[in-house]
Amino acid sequence: MSQEMARGMEVRTDFEQQLERFFDLLEQSITTGDPAWMDPILLDWAKSSTETDLEDEPYQISFLINRMIALTIQVARETLTKQQALDLLAAVIPIYTYGLEVVARYEMETRVAHISSEMEKVQKRMERVDKSKSAFISVAAHELKTPITLIEGYASMMDDLTQEGKATNLDGLLVGMNTGIERLRAIGDDMIDVSMIDNNLLQLNFQPMQVSQMVDALCLEIEATTNARKLTMDIRDFDGNKQWIYVDATRIMQALRNVINNAIKYTPDGGTITIDGRTLSGFIEVTVRDTGIGISHEDQSEIFEKFGQLGRVDLHSSGKTKFKGGGPGLGLPIARGILEAHGGSIWVESKGHDERTNPGSTFHILIPSRTESPDPRMTELFDTLGKGKDEEVVE
Ligand code: ADP
């Protein structure tokens, strides 16, 4: 029987022992006339099968017992007289039937419990999505409303001046209006980027670039702000800084920009932002360290999730580089999406959040140091250009 039944089923090493136990208990049940003797082994079997096979093969033990019934009948037919066979079957069939009932009930109960716990998880996830959706709507509405109010204000001033015939020089007002428009465009772009990242639609355009070039360009961009906020930019010359690697420079710069802008936003005036790095095997690691308010341990993974900081909707004040000026909470998820699309990653280290002691934060950005473009024609083109100009092209 053990040979027949082990076939086609997962053969457990102790299967024979288990069968022996089964038949011992079966004997006890027949002798005492109480099928409940079978309970321990039936429940053990049902439990081990439902725990491991819930997803693919439920009802294994019911199947096993059905096979046992068929085999018992076969053995009875082949080896016993008619009367013996009848006696045997009269004795064992009620116990097998009882066994089937117990196992089926247990398997069903376990399945129902499994489904309920799955449903509970889905419901919790939906509640979280729902919460972040409504928080997103309120932040997005606020983020959009601020520049719209700005634009409205300038438009109405222009209107007044034009009415009064004093519209000789509207340059200042136009600049203000443009700031509002730029802000709106940036929010729109961020939203599009997030949805592209979510749907794996981010297309990368690989070109050779040096980390130092990207950092220098970004420092130029933020110079006016860092001067105004009296922040020191400490740009280190690290190993790998000048290595030519294939990246989508616009996207990597966007990721770096988001991290550096946050460093500016969350560091009080007079602080320092240090950009350093090193080479690791297959990667260049860039670190952006600030002397700002820091990030609590709970928030350190949350902030890379979309709208991760939405818990504090009330804090939103819409400022790109203003101290603690909130944003739509998309900067870090976008940075992570860009780096992951490149095969890199991003994480943060911080001793915690404290606005008095300013423990600071360090963002680690891992950029794969690809020495070839995914498109071989691109590598060929730049190799020839590089060699033609006798530039340092790292192999
Ligand atoms: P946003 O800046 O639009 O709020 P981000 O995704 O860029 O969204 O950042 C998410 C959150 O992470 C921020 O709201 C802030 O709470 C926290 N954070 C990010 N960078 C820093 C930093 N350098 N120091 C302290 N907190 C930070």
Side-chain angles (χ1 to χ4, degrees):
M1 185 169 272
S2 82
Q3 270 174 13
E4 161 71 19
M5 301 216 301
R7 208 187 300 149
M9 296 190 56
E10 186 194 343
V11 187
R12 301 196 172 102
T13 42
D14 61 348
F15 192 68
E16 287 209 14
Q17 277 174 348
Q18 298 252 3
L19 270 186
E20 252 171 55
R21 187 175 158 218
F22 180 88
F23 284 110
D24 280 350
L25 290 169
L26 183 66
E27 211 178 311
Q28 305 262 26
S29 299
I30 293 172
T31 339
T32 57
D34 181 6
W37 278 89
M38 304 298 294
D39 283 1
I41 188 149
L42 293 172
L43 291 183
D44 275 359
W45 280 3
K47 216 166 153 192
S48 70
S49 130
T50 43
E51 268 167 11
T52 48
D53 307 312
L54 265 178
E55 302 298 342
D56 354 301
E57 277 190 60
Y59 312 124
Q60 261 200 34
I61 301 302
S62 315
F63 171 78
L64 184 79
I65 294 177
N66 275 321
R67 282 297 299 143
M68 280 178 156
I69 297 175
L71 280 168
T72 309
I73 294 172
Q74 196 187 328
V75 169
R77 186 186 296 130
E78 286 170 6
T79 60
L80 302 180
T81 65
K82 271 197 179 143
Q83 188 53 49
Q84 283 172 326
L86 212 59
D87 287 348
L88 173 74
L89 294 179
V92 297
I93 292 294
I95 296 168
Y96 277 137
T97 319
Y98 170 83
L100 271 178
E101 240 172 64
V102 170
V103 166
R105 193 176 341 117
Y106 186 84
E107 283 177 339
M108 189 55 82
E109 277 167 11
T110 322
R111 245 187 127 59
V112 169
H114 174 74
I115 293 171
S116 324
S117 97
E118 286 294 298
M119 278 175 66
E120 214 170 289
K121 275 189 226 154
V122 171
Q123 194 167 351
K124 286 228 171 79
R125 217 175 302 143
M126 280 175 63
E127 274 167 22
R128 270 207 309 273
V129 169
D130 208 43
K131 222 164 121 196
S132 96
K133 199 175 71 186
S134 57
F136 169 67
I137 291 173
S138 59
V139 171
H142 179 78
E143 286 292 320
L144 294 172
K145 234 173 125 177
T146 315
I148 290 173
T149 313
L150 195 78
I151 296 168
E152 259 173 6
Y154 284 116
S156 107
M157 277 192 260
M158 282 187 194
D159 194 31
D160 289 348
L161 289 175
T162 321
Q163 302 263 333
E164 291 161 19
K166 294 184 195 155
T168 46
N169 188 1
L170 297 178
D171 285 0
L173 297 180
L174 277 171
V175 168
M177 208 167 190
N178 272 330
T179 311
I181 292 170
E182 258 168 43
R183 187 82 197 107
L184 272 183
R185 184 191 300 281
I187 295 166
D189 286 348
D190 276 0
M191 287 180 179
I192 291 171
D193 284 349
V194 159
S195 86
M196 291 217 294
I197 288 167
D198 269 0
N199 294 295
N200 281 329
L201 287 175
L202 202 65
Q203 296 225 331
L204 299 179
N205 179 14
F206 285 89
Q207 281 174 12
M209 184 51 85
Q210 295 170 311
V211 171
S212 64
Q213 286 187 0
M214 296 189 275
V215 171
D216 289 349
L218 288 170
C219 285
L220 265 181
E221 266 180 41
I222 55 171
E223 205 172 10
T225 313
T226 46
N227 284 343
R229 296 267 325 275
K230 301 198 168 43
L231 295 168
T232 309
M233 293 299 295
D234 177 4
I235 312 296
R236 306 274 171 90
D237 188 18
F238 59 88
D239 185 29
N241 206 6
K242 295 257 173 355
Q243 185 177 333
W244 287 96
I245 52 172
Y246 278 89
V247 289
D248 184 324
T250 315
R251 288 296 185 185
I252 293 288
M253 274 181 72
Q254 183 183 2
L256 287 170
R257 184 181 295 115
N258 290 352
V259 173
I260 296 174
N261 275 339
N262 279 343
I264 296 177
K265 254 194 321 196
Y266 299 101
T267 303
D269 292 8
T272 303
I273 294 161
T274 310
I275 302 182
D276 200 354
R278 58 179 172 158
T279 38
L280 297 171
S281 133
F283 293 92
I284 295 180
E285 181 186 29
V286 181
T287 50
V288 178
R289 190 167 72 239
D290 62 51
T291 56
I293 58 178
I295 303 169
S296 71
H297 291 283
E298 310 87 81
D299 282 353
Q300 286 178 20
S301 54
E302 287 279 296
I303 54 174
F304 294 101
E305 298 300 325
K306 262 181 307 188
F307 322 124
Q309 46 45 285
L310 290 184
R312 286 156 295 163
V313 174
D314 49 315
L315 282 186
H316 277 268
S317 62
S318 290
K320 239 180 136 48
T321 47
K322 206 162 80 178
F323 180 48
K324 291 200 287 168
L330 299 177
L332 291 177
I334 290 175
R336 184 176 73 169
I338 291 174
L339 287 156
E340 286 179 354
H342 276 80
S345 59
I346 176 168
W347 71 97
V348 68
E349 249 180 305
S350 173
K351 290 213 176 78
H353 174 97
D354 192 325
E355 299 193 15
R356 279 173 309 112
T357 58
N358 291 316
S361 314
T362 304
F363 281 81
H364 296 256
I365 296 159
L366 272 193
I367 309 173
S369 45
R370 266 197 198 93
T371 49
E372 281 184 26
S373 163
D375 180 353
R377 287 171 308 171
M378 181 75 87
T379 315
E380 224 170 84
L381 171 70
F382 281 103
D383 265 8
T384 3
L385 288 180
K387 282 178 187 129
K389 282 198 277 168
D390 207 21
E391 273 178 8
E392 179 201 359
V393 176
V394 172
E395 293 301 326

